[in-house]
Amino acid sequence: MTDLRKYLVAQVERRLRERDAENRTLLRGQSAESGYDVGVRAALQALAEVFTRAETKADLFDVLAMEASRAFNAGPHPRSRTYRAEPVDWAIEDTQAKSVLALLEEHIASAKKAKTQPAVVFDLDGTLFDVSHRTLGILREWTASQADARRYPRALLRRVESIALCHMGYSLSHAFENAGLDLRDNDVSEILQSAEKLWRKRFFDGKTLVDLDRPVEGAKAFVDALHSQGVHICYLTGRDSRGMHQGTVRQLEVHGFPLEGCTLMLKAGHELEDHIYKQEAFAVFASKWSIVGNFENEYVNLGAMAPSAPQAVHVILDTQHSGRPVPTLPGKVWRLADFRLS
């Protein structure tokens, strides 16, 4: 068994190094030998199943590498930050939700003292709701549909099946890359294109979001805390009104977010760019209410909206964003991981 162990460890290490030349995937910078107890032992325990599933020796190595690396990628993938990098010239300060709420309450008091109606604007996707679950659920639906497929290598399909929530990024392609799949590979590229077809159909259908999205931790309590103080809540989303309005209302109802006396605004169609649409809508809001807070996950959207309410508390949720170029933005931007108040 010792010789077999050494051989398997060497093969696992080789395969992982091949997948990531910069060694970012390999056991958080350790060797496969040092991670033996966690990764390779689990693979050895599954050898009976692995040998029955593996059609070729290369397929066996693929399965072993996947099993050995799974435990070491349980948290956010090291490359995930590539898709979440912040604008270099913005004054961004990481903080906690309770600090932001206290700051908002100061602005609310000032607005009421000036006899104006305070309002807070919230985006939905990636801000109040975690859409990673929607993307992962759609991918799971796609892999389930491939149970009898013969067009893709079985080992590759198993690697796609192993994509987890921790691999999710702004797009499905980011999830594939974060899971160590090489998009330059023809089979991987073909699988991605096929999965994206289903993703485009389901992601915007107005039903899947109700079934799969989950509120960002603490989001409901945070919005409730503002609503209970007489703040006008504005939900401003880039979702398509034609296909997603009913589902959006249902989603907010299901998760208990306030709707009575609130404003919900969706785009008329997909054609208009989010940042342009939100810039115009936000300016309209600013003419009606005293905007004291603005919450977004897209830097480009926040950059477009902020000039209409320069004194407001502008907050970025550190989830996913597109990475599109952003304008210069004077003033401080606060950044939250979630909305937990304790």
Side-chain angles (χ1 to χ4, degrees):
M1 179 59 74
T2 299
D3 290 341
L4 176 60
R5 190 196 92 168
K6 290 181 179 179
Y7 175 74
L8 290 175
V9 167
Q11 294 301 327
V12 168
E13 187 172 39
R14 177 180 66 82
R15 297 290 295 203
L16 288 174
R17 288 189 186 280
E18 286 176 355
R19 288 186 187 138
D20 196 334
E22 295 182 24
N23 197 26
R24 287 170 294 189
T25 304
L26 179 58
L27 311 188
R28 298 284 193 259
Q30 304 171 20
S31 68
E33 179 69 26
S34 66
Y36 170 75
D37 285 340
V38 178
V40 180
R41 189 180 300 280
L44 288 173
Q45 290 173 348
L47 272 181
E49 178 186 357
V50 166
F51 275 108
T52 60
R53 285 158 47 192
E55 296 178 347
T56 66
K57 186 178 294 186
D59 188 34
L60 169 63
F61 293 155
D62 229 19
V63 173
L64 287 171
M66 180 182 69
E67 293 295 330
S69 63
R70 189 194 308 274
F72 302 101
N73 290 304
H77 192 279
R79 281 177 287 181
S80 292
R81 284 304 297 193
T82 301
Y83 312 114
R84 301 195 294 137
E86 66 216 40
V88 295
D89 59 348
W90 283 22
I92 301 172
E93 182 172 330
D94 291 291
T95 188
Q96 296 180 331
K98 61 182 179 181
S99 299
V100 170
L101 182 59
L103 188 57
L104 285 172
E105 288 173 342
E106 293 178 9
H107 286 248
I108 293 167
S110 297
K112 290 181 176 179
K113 187 176 181 179
K115 301 187 182 304
T116 59
Q117 171 66 54
V120 176
V121 178
F122 289 97
D123 174 50
L124 296 182
D125 291 342
T127 301
L128 291 183
F129 290 96
D130 184 351
V131 298
S132 297
H133 299 277
R134 196 190 320 174
T135 292
L136 182 60
I138 295 168
L139 182 59
R140 291 277 187 265
E141 181 182 347
W142 182 89
T143 55
S145 72
Q146 305 301 311
D148 298 322
R150 296 290 182 268
R151 60 188 298 186
Y152 306 119
R154 291 177 60 195
L156 182 55
L157 282 176
R158 284 195 292 273
R159 290 183 61 195
V160 174
E161 289 170 357
S162 74
I163 294 176
L165 196 63
C166 65
H167 298 126
M168 293 298 107
Y170 180 78
S171 69
L172 197 55
S173 62
H174 292 164
F176 273 55
E177 289 182 317
N178 286 342
L181 291 160
D182 187 352
L183 300 184
R184 296 167 297 183
D185 180 89
N186 289 335
D187 285 330
V188 173
S189 178
E190 187 175 337
I191 286 175
L192 175 61
Q193 291 179 36
S194 177
E196 282 182 328
K197 288 181 181 178
L198 180 64
W199 181 88
R200 284 190 290 270
K201 180 179 179 181
R202 293 281 191 269
F203 196 85
F204 305 103
D205 65 5
K207 178 181 182 299
T208 306
L209 60 91
V210 179
D211 296 336
L212 298 178
D213 284 5
R214 299 179 189 176
V216 171
E217 198 166 4
K220 178 188 179 301
F222 191 92
V223 176
D224 283 344
L226 294 170
H227 189 248
S228 66
Q229 297 181 50
V231 173
H232 188 91
I233 303 298
C234 302
Y235 302 111
L236 177 59
T237 174
R239 295 176 182 178
D240 175 16
S241 180
R242 289 192 294 258
M244 304 178 78
H245 183 272
Q246 185 175 352
T248 298
V249 172
R250 179 59 180 156
Q251 182 185 53
L252 291 167
E253 290 174 340
V254 165
H255 294 286
F257 285 88
L259 276 170
E260 186 176 353
C262 302
T263 297
L264 171 62
M265 188 168 180
L266 293 80
K267 285 197 308 186
H270 288 297
E271 301 78 19
L272 186 61
E273 290 284 347
D274 278 5
H275 70 283
I276 297 175
Y277 148 73
K278 288 196 170 186
Q279 182 181 44
E280 295 173 352
F282 192 84
V284 172
F285 290 162
S287 69
K288 294 182 178 180
W289 301 290
S290 176
I291 297 180
V292 297
N294 180 28
F295 292 77
E296 257 286 345
N297 67 297
E298 273 283 4
Y299 288 94
V300 63
N301 293 345
L302 193 72
M305 293 186 286
S308 293
Q311 303 306 315
V313 178
H314 294 285
V315 182
I316 277 286
L317 265 293
D318 194 18
T319 53
Q320 304 93 18
H321 71 97
S322 63
R324 288 179 291 172
V326 299
T328 298
L329 186 64
K332 181 174 289 187
V333 172
W334 305 92
R335 183 166 57 193
L336 297 176
D338 54 48
F339 290 98
R340 288 178 297 171
L341 293 171
S342 60

